Amino acid sequence: MTQHTPLWEVFVRARRGLSHTHVGSLHAPDAALALRNARDLYTRRQEGVSIWVVPAGAITASSPDEKDAFFDPAADKVYRHPTFYEVPDGVAHL
Amino acid sequence: MYGNDFSAPNGTPDEAPGGLLGEVEAAEAELRAAAARGRRGGPAPDEDLAAYFAEVVDAEQKIEPRDWMPDAYRRTLIRQIAQHAHSEIIGMQPEGNWISRAPSLKRKAILLAKVQDEAGHGLYLYAAAETLGISRDELVQLLLDGRQKYSSIFNYPTLSWADVGAIGWLVDGAAIVNQVPLCRCSYGPYARAMIRVCKEESFHQRQGYEILHTLAHGTPAQQAMAQDAVDRWWYPSLAMFGPPDGDSTHSAQSMAWKIKRFSNDDLRQRFVDMCVQQAEILGLRIPDADLRWNDERQAYDYTQPDYDELMQVISGDGPCNRERMAHRRAAHADGTWVREAAAAYAAKRAGQKETVAA
């Protein structure tokens, strides 16, 4: 491989109405070739109607190591879920 | 293919409804279910990382790339996934040999699609290995330098068209038996890649079976060609499962880590039991005079492959080792100008964009 061919993350929309989902990664020198390679690699059996390719380096990930602390603010806010509230017997449409 | 030594936590591989493909579906459903069960977040600041890792694995949850993992787990996975990827890439050669001589346009189109799948499987697996922190360039170089192996089976020659059928039926069949348990591997990227690979692999096995079935019901010369191919590919296919359990070096630790699930001998037995009935329907003979049903074991007794030959082929002295490696090195060297041209074009375009932006 010449120099370091960049890594791309591939996202495929399986059908109209669904969101793009991460399917894997590949190497390509530029975006246009990354798209073509992604078509050949991840949609050989009509797995998708749309593909995104994103330079892997452009993705900033939260680390699992900091998972507890990072996602902590949401942990003690059970009142954000409708199941937190008691509904008196007999109330309809609520 | 190639995941060669698994050990069983609970004895024999269990049979899910819908055969092997059903098991792949089940593995995928289990992966989703395990993810849905959820669990607490990462390890606490003062927690023992090894204990945390063991807890995740024991809970049948997946280890993901940025999770802490033991160095030996990482090394084992890199070795196994890389060798698996190399096998897919080298595995294109024996069959690619017959693309130009396939007996009809239909067979040629099918074989092209199959060989293209093998390339795709190699790429899925290289990508999975790279999540463990090794670069593609390093992986390619390890193969070219002969420092990492690929499956011994691809060092056997494809002498006739029937060999393409025998490879599909026996080699891909053995690969599937080996690979289906890998869909439950504890390492997420490998498990997901294997689910994708196994779903595609079943077409490979069926197309091979169909080729043999057609030949076995053809002229006497065609029948003889089909039988000859099965005679030559049977024992090398049995050897694909690796050395017998007593001699298998990596099994116990890989089993504890849930990288592997069943022993070499368990998987080999399962493969034999599957093939006997399939051979009957083909009307072809499995070349083993001692093959017979053992009522006590509820399994077939069979003759073991020649493990000395397996070791010889693995160490580089099979019928085609040198040819396969020479071809791979030449293909890589011949592709240099394509990689350089694509990189130069990308650099030029990037330069133009900067000028416009400025």
Side-chain angles (χ1 to χ4, degrees):
Chain A
M1 224 156 275
T2 336
Q3 297 128 28
H4 227 55
T5 314
L7 184 67
W8 302 77
E9 298 299 334
V10 182
F11 300 78
V12 171
R13 182 201 294 286
R15 286 182 298 282
R16 183 172 295 280
L18 299 180
S19 56
H20 284 76
T21 304
H22 184 242
V23 292
S25 55
L26 52 78
H27 289 272
D30 61 29
L33 271 178
L35 263 186
R36 284 171 182 275
N37 290 356
R39 177 200 58 192
D40 292 345
L41 187 55
Y42 290 107
T43 61
R44 287 198 300 284
R45 289 173 174 77
Q46 300 179 299
E47 288 92 341
V49 294
S50 164
I51 300 175
W52 289 346
V53 289
V54 180
I59 295 175
T60 308
S62 68
S63 164
D65 295 348
E66 64 204 25
K67 195 177 170 187
D68 276 344
F70 193 70
F71 295 101
D72 228 15
D76 58 356
K77 297 179 178 61
V78 282
Y79 45 82
R80 281 178 172 157
H81 299 276
T83 46
F84 175 75
Y85 301 92
E86 261 179 50
V87 178
D89 287 344
V91 182
H93 306 300
L94 189 70
Chain B
M1 68 68 38
Y2 213 24
N4 75 343
D5 29 32
F6 320 89
S7 287
N10 54 0
T12 50
D14 45 338
E15 202 68 56
L20 291 167
L21 256 187
E23 280 180 48
V24 176
E25 301 283 350
E28 193 175 18
E30 197 176 282
L31 186 144
R32 290 182 200 286
R37 277 202 300 279
R39 49 171 290 104
R40 67 189 178 87
D46 55 347
E47 194 174 350
D48 178 2
L49 288 172
Y52 174 77
F53 170 87
E55 192 197 317
V56 173
V57 171
D58 287 345
E60 294 287 336
Q61 299 269 326
K62 300 301 175 198
I63 299 296
E64 295 296 342
R66 284 157 61 95
D67 287 333
W68 181 89
M69 61 187 85
D71 284 342
Y73 177 83
R74 187 185 297 276
R75 279 199 306 275
T76 298
L77 275 170
I78 288 177
R79 180 182 55 82
Q80 181 174 334
I81 301 173
Q83 294 191 359
H84 194 160
H86 300 329
S87 299
E88 301 283 358
I89 298 301
I90 298 288
M92 288 192 279
Q93 291 185 41
E95 293 176 287
N97 186 34
W98 281 92
I99 291 175
S100 62
R101 289 172 287 163
S104 70
L105 189 57
K106 183 184 99 175
R107 298 286 187 199
K108 192 193 293 275
I110 291 172
L111 189 54
L112 264 172
K114 179 173 189 254
V115 173
Q116 193 187 8
D117 270 357
E118 308 296 2
H121 296 173
L123 294 177
Y124 302 153
L125 290 161
Y126 279 134
E130 285 176 85
T131 63
L132 291 157
I134 187 165
S135 75
R136 179 74 59 93
D137 305 21
E138 286 174 90
L139 290 167
V140 169
Q141 206 55 48
L142 283 165
L143 171 64
L144 296 180
D145 292 347
R147 285 187 291 147
Q148 277 183 339
K149 310 271 185 218
Y150 54 88
S151 177
S152 58
I153 194 76
F154 301 118
N155 292 313
Y156 290 87
T158 40
L159 304 178
S160 76
W161 169 251
D163 285 24
V164 176
I167 288 181
W169 177 42
L170 296 174
V171 176
D172 291 322
I176 292 172
V177 169
N178 246 339
Q179 289 173 350
V180 164
L182 292 173
C183 295
R184 293 170 190 264
C185 171
S186 59
Y187 188 58
Y190 193 26
R192 292 190 287 270
M194 288 320 304
I195 288 172
R196 187 181 283 272
V197 167
C198 284
K199 284 183 177 178
E200 298 184 357
E201 199 80 41
S202 74
F203 123 65
H204 298 182
Q205 191 188 16
R206 287 184 191 187
Q207 67 87 36
Y209 194 80
E210 190 199 77
I211 287 172
L212 285 181
H213 193 266
T214 305
L215 290 173
H217 292 79
T219 65
Q222 288 171 327
Q223 288 168 22
M225 186 165 76
Q227 185 61 56
D228 172 62
V230 171
D231 288 349
R232 281 182 290 108
W233 288 94
W234 175 252
Y235 287 104
S237 298
L238 291 188
M240 284 171 69
F241 295 93
D245 293 349
D247 304 339
S248 185
T249 43
H250 307 295
S251 285
Q253 182 60 76
S254 286
M255 190 187 86
W257 281 330
K258 300 194 178 176
I259 294 174
K260 297 170 178 174
R261 304 272 177 166
F262 301 107
S263 81
N264 294 359
D265 288 336
D266 283 344
L267 290 170
R268 194 169 5 246
Q269 180 71 59
R270 180 184 203 187
F271 175 68
V272 170
D273 292 347
M274 274 172 37
C275 284
V276 172
Q277 187 252 1
Q278 292 173 355
E280 275 168 22
I281 291 175
L282 283 176
L284 295 173
R285 190 182 62 252
I286 289 174
D288 181 352
D290 296 325
L291 183 74
R292 61 179 55 88
W293 180 251
N294 182 326
D295 211 39
E296 212 169 289
R297 290 199 306 123
Q298 286 294 298
Y300 284 90
D301 290 336
Y302 64 98
T303 306
Q304 294 290 317
D306 181 347
Y307 293 113
D308 291 338
E309 178 181 312
L310 172 67
M311 288 307 140
Q312 191 185 328
V313 176
I314 287 177
S315 61
D317 271 331
C320 301
N321 295 55
R322 287 168 195 82
E323 187 186 329
R324 300 291 185 237
M325 285 309 296
H327 185 90
R328 180 88 286 276
R329 290 193 187 103
H332 189 70
D334 290 348
T336 305
W337 73 270
V338 179
R339 295 190 294 276
E340 285 176 353
Y345 181 73
K348 191 177 97 181
R349 289 287 297 259
Q352 281 171 351
K353 263 186 207 154
E354 268 170 41
T355 320
V356 172

